[in-house]
Amino acid sequence: MNWIDSLIAEVEHEAQTTRKHFERLPNDKLDWQPHEKSFTARGLASHIVDLVRLSDLIFSTDEFDFDPVTYKPY
């Protein structure tokens, strides 16, 4: 198995695990956070979705300019 196939397998495994956690997260617990400096459950879910959404752009372009002024999270 080459490194691309290994990476794809790892991402697919992590996606399945993450999907299971999101499916089990009750809507009334989305504002829960384990610590005041931590993400809320909603914020963490949004962050993970953004990472997946941006991965195609990151891997398919030679340059990635992340501008926090124009960035709109999921």
Side-chain angles (χ1 to χ4, degrees):
M1 178 183 291
N2 63 35
W3 67 274
I4 291 288
D5 293 334
S6 178
L7 179 62
I8 290 170
E10 179 68 20
V11 169
E12 287 175 350
H13 174 74
E14 291 300 324
Q16 289 174 2
T17 303
T18 302
R19 189 175 294 113
K20 285 180 189 176
H21 286 288
F22 285 163
E23 288 170 349
R24 294 175 180 157
L25 181 63
N27 286 336
D28 65 338
K29 301 294 184 195
L30 293 175
D31 293 322
W32 176 81
Q33 60 188 122
H35 186 271
E36 64 186 32
K37 294 183 179 181
S38 300
F39 276 117
T40 62
R42 179 189 324 270
L44 180 58
S46 176
H47 176 66
I48 292 170
V49 169
D50 278 341
L51 292 175
V52 172
R53 187 174 58 133
L54 291 173
S55 64
D56 182 51
L57 178 65
I58 292 168
F59 287 114
S60 65
T61 59
D62 293 333
E63 191 173 293
F64 182 69
D65 183 16
F66 183 81
D67 184 359
V69 174
T70 59
Y71 172 69
K72 293 181 173 93
Y74 176 79

